[in-house]
Amino acid sequence: MSRVVESDVCIIGAGITAAMVAERLAERTSASVTVVEAGGRTASLEERSRTRARMLAYGENPYPNDHIADQTGTGEMYRQMVVGGSGMHWGGAIPRYSPEDFRLRSLYGVGFDWPISFDDLEPYYQEAEERIGAAGEQGPPDCDPRSKPYPMPPLPLSYNLARMREWTDGAGIPFWTQPWARNTRPYRGRNVCQRCDTCAVCPTGAKYTPDFAFDQLLADGRIDLVTRTLVRRLALEPGTDRIAVAQAVDRDSPDEPVEFRAGTFVLAGGHAWSSHLLLLSASNRFPDGLANRAGNVGHYMTGHWYVSGFIDLPMRLYPGIFANNSLLSHRFASPGPLDRYLRHDLRLWESDVGRAPRLRDDDGSLLWGDGIMADWRERTDSGATARIRAYYDVIPDRESRLTLDGAMKNAMGDPMPRIDFRSAQATIDLERHTHDTIQGRFEQLARAAGGSMKSTRSSRLFEHPGGGCRMGDDPATSVVDRWGRTHDHENLFVVGAPTIVSSGCANGTLTFCALSLMSAEEIAKGLATRG
Amino acid sequence: MSETRRSFLKQSVATVAAASVAGCAPGASRDSSDRPESAAGAGSAGASAMPLPGETLRAVAEAVLPAELGDRGRERAVAAFERWSDGLEPVAELAHPYLVPETRYSGPDPRPGWVAQLEGLEKECASRHGVSLSAIDMPVRRELLARPLGQAGPGMGSPANASHVAAALMSHFFASPVATDLCYRRGIGKQQCRGLDGAAAEPAALGDAP
């Protein structure tokens, strides 16, 4: 006998995109909303000072019980499965994608155009920034278009970043302050940033985490949040293509199945678990999984790669003033016409790399207390280090895939996801050009300060991943439409990261949130307006 | 001070005090004499304390920590290390690295080994020189310590992963905000919740810090 939970809307997953959808539906409609989360709750705000201290002292996870032991996969994916999702641990960087990201094929003849433009998404970017609480600085309008100011002024430039900005201004490359989901004034009941410099766990509540939104919605009686309950399959209404039920298991009562029945279902499981659930939901009628008539679920997994380095600077800086703020440039994300395709951002941080205390000197001799301090001072007196990184656009490939891994199953026998990322050949062909051009720009910056490159490295980690249920107007080449509605099931939406067409060259969370709000607007059309 | 800052201080100090931690509380004293605690503090997570032989540890500290700390500063650094050691929990779940789906854990308890190392130092010192470690000259003390530190470095690494207690003590101290401030001779206050107001200013020289 199953326990049945009924609502107008069932949101599966309780991360940041679920928070966006739930909040918007709660404000604009009178619909009943149930949010189902496989994980439980983790450290409350009141507990985060203590867990932060232990993270600093011992490297411990500041969010106890934030994952499920046997619910994991292979490939680049987050470990967290908890109320708030990976939005608990994030640093809070919230740049927008650039207008060019949505028109790569039209502008540059590479990759794919999205079915929506930057202008279509811009109001939702703004809304996401207001819900999250964005603190930012307007960059040059041609590189940083926006219709309204940020809700909050930017985080102040530290002494270090101010000196670095004088340097980059002299280099002729415009940099401005990275926008952050951190309060520079009291905002929506949350505190002001106290510059604790451990943003992965913010002890003040200045950084937005989705649990704040859920707690408020629960306090207002606007949603039901069902935790520790793992949705294993979606099932159809007999004789139709509509989703009728999400079949789940209560992890505290595994012998008692739970059925979530709703008029609309929203998958908000991030880049890994949304496609995974669709593939797990295979049936006789849909042997390849739901929303997968054209065979696109799990395909076009995407992310961006980076080149990073450290620059020796002939200036006196003091690492530790504010390591979790940074300078940003989107100058090369909006490059104008190109002979060879390359778009990237630039980020700069203070750093102590090469200037940290050490036990042995350059000759390998062991140092003692005074010797360590003298060696350390010599290296900090002689200059400073800046960390620089460029995320660059990777062209998605259809065979970049999430699949079900029969060799890795959870305790219930469900196969876990396996992600094998790959880029299109175009990115491989351009990789040398990309690396050399970016390194040249690093060196240009270094020279402008009278400094030099200390080191450079390239990474093929697919950062800020998405895809697997990409959006498009053509059901033959996409999984969802521009609103996140699956082509195959009118009452099933996928929101956020899985729906992106490409991942640009900027952190993705704000875009995932904006897309989710766009989906929420469409979902709300079928629901009663809040009176 | 804004109301929100005041309420944060109140909540944070209470929370932190309850956990015997002074580290992230912006209300914690800015007196530099209190800072070693900030670097170390993390309270107890339920691990059983395993006291390190205090006299020998202090004799080691005299050999491996900067003399400019003075007796008081060195004692605070050692006490902070002891508190950190008391709060250490072996095989604890570590913070998840970015985009890594596995769970990672810290290593087994290093403290029995550290206790044995300190006891061994005393025994060796008594055998070779007929006195305790604290009674021998610094060059001889360092000679005794140099051998077990042979595999250490060049970087500091995590104190919990240090193969020798002397390396752990050095790693712990040199990772602290106190050490950073001493190096730069400025009140940087690394990783201490400080508010946004002072971010833009060049950190004050240590003698001028409020």
Side-chain angles (χ1 to χ4, degrees), chain A residues 167-232:
Chain A
W167 150 45
T168 58
D169 285 350
I173 298 177
F175 277 81
W176 56 99
T177 315
Q178 170 79 289
W180 296 106
R182 302 181 205 153
N183 293 352
T184 52
R185 60 176 170 79
Y187 192 83
R188 298 190 81 184
R190 298 183 0 250
N191 206 341
V192 180
C193 174
Q194 301 295 327
R195 199 165 42 111
C196 306
D197 251 349
T198 52
C199 297
V201 55
C202 171
T204 71
K207 181 190 78 172
Y208 175 89
T209 51
D211 57 328
F212 294 127
F214 289 121
D215 287 345
Q216 189 61 55
L217 290 166
L218 288 167
D220 295 343
R222 293 298 298 130
I223 63 165
D224 288 321
L225 175 61
V226 181
T227 61
R228 298 182 56 79
T229 300
L230 175 68
V231 175
R232 299 179 63 199

Side-chain angles (χ1 to χ4, degrees), chain A residues 52 58 61 79 194 196 318, chain B residues 5 24 84 93 101 193 202:
Chain A
R52 171 186 183 269
Y58 305 109
N61 182 4
R79 187 70 185 98
Q194 301 295 327
C196 306
Y318 306 95
Chain B
R5 178 164 164 75
C24 65
W84 173 85
E93 185 182 308
C193 301
E202 184 171 16

Side-chain angles (χ1 to χ4, degrees), chain A residues 362-381:
Chain A
D362 290 335
D363 299 330
S365 300
L366 190 64
L367 298 167
W368 304 98
D370 290 332
I372 293 171
M373 192 57 87
D375 169 77
W376 190 10
R377 282 183 179 137
E378 187 180 322
R379 287 178 292 117
T380 53
D381 287 347

Side-chain angles (χ1 to χ4, degrees), chain B:
Chain B
M1 184 190 300
S2 70
E3 277 306 305
T4 51
R5 178 164 164 75
R6 199 188 310 275
S7 60
F8 165 67
L9 295 184
K10 191 175 167 187
Q11 170 229 305
S12 185
V13 169
T15 305
V16 166
S20 305
V21 177
C24 65
S29 169
R30 294 303 306 268
D31 176 350
S32 62
S33 64
D34 284 337
R35 291 186 193 167
E37 296 184 28
S38 327
S44 162
S48 56
M50 188 175 297
L52 305 172
E55 188 179 335
T56 312
L57 182 64
R58 281 161 176 77
V60 170
E62 212 176 346
V64 304
L65 296 182
E68 68 186 279
L69 280 175
D71 291 346
R72 279 185 68 200
R74 188 172 59 253
E75 176 53 32
R76 288 192 192 97
V78 174
F81 178 71
E82 288 175 320
R83 279 193 298 279
W84 173 85
S85 173
D86 285 347
L88 193 152
E89 186 175 3
V91 201
E93 185 182 308
L94 298 177
H96 307 304
Y98 180 57
L99 285 177
V100 173
E102 296 93 26
T103 310
R104 295 182 178 181
Y105 296 89
S106 60
D109 196 341
R111 292 170 300 185
W114 293 347
V115 171
Q117 288 163 1
L118 291 167
E119 290 171 350
L121 278 170
E122 282 297 355
K123 195 169 178 183
E124 185 177 353
C125 197
S127 300
R128 288 182 185 275
H129 307 291
V131 292
S132 72
L133 190 69
S134 60
I136 58 172
D137 291 344
M138 207 53 70
V140 183
R141 218 182 290 184
R142 286 183 177 150
E143 199 179 303
L144 274 175
L145 285 165
R147 233 175 305 123
L149 286 174
Q151 302 301 314
M156 287 284 177
S158 158
N161 295 333
S163 60
H164 194 271
V165 63
L169 179 59
M170 284 191 277
S171 298
H172 184 265
F173 170 72
F174 281 104
S176 71
V178 187
T180 298
D181 285 359
L182 263 187
C183 170
Y184 287 87
R185 299 186 175 95
R186 300 273 175 165
I188 295 169
K190 181 180 79 167
Q191 291 172 337
Q192 298 188 16
C193 301
R194 297 154 283 182
L196 294 174
D197 290 348
E202 184 171 16
L206 275 188
D208 302 334

Side-chain angles (χ1 to χ4, degrees), chain A residues 234-236 243 278-279 281-282 286 288-292 297 488-489 492:
Chain A
L234 301 174
L236 298 173
I243 308 301
L278 292 173
L279 295 174
S281 301
F286 290 90
D288 297 322
L290 294 178
N292 201 23
V297 171
D488 296 350
H489 313 281
L492 175 62

Side-chain angles (χ1 to χ4, degrees), chain A residues 42-76:
Chain A
T42 185
S44 66
L45 176 59
E46 290 71 27
E47 293 169 308
R48 288 175 205 163
S49 285
R50 183 184 62 79
T51 62
R52 171 186 183 269
R54 290 200 64 83
M55 182 188 76
L56 279 173
Y58 305 109
E60 291 178 5
N61 182 4
Y63 296 102
N65 308 310
D66 67 347
H67 61 276
I68 302 172
D70 65 348
Q71 198 71 13
T72 186
T74 304
E76 289 146 17

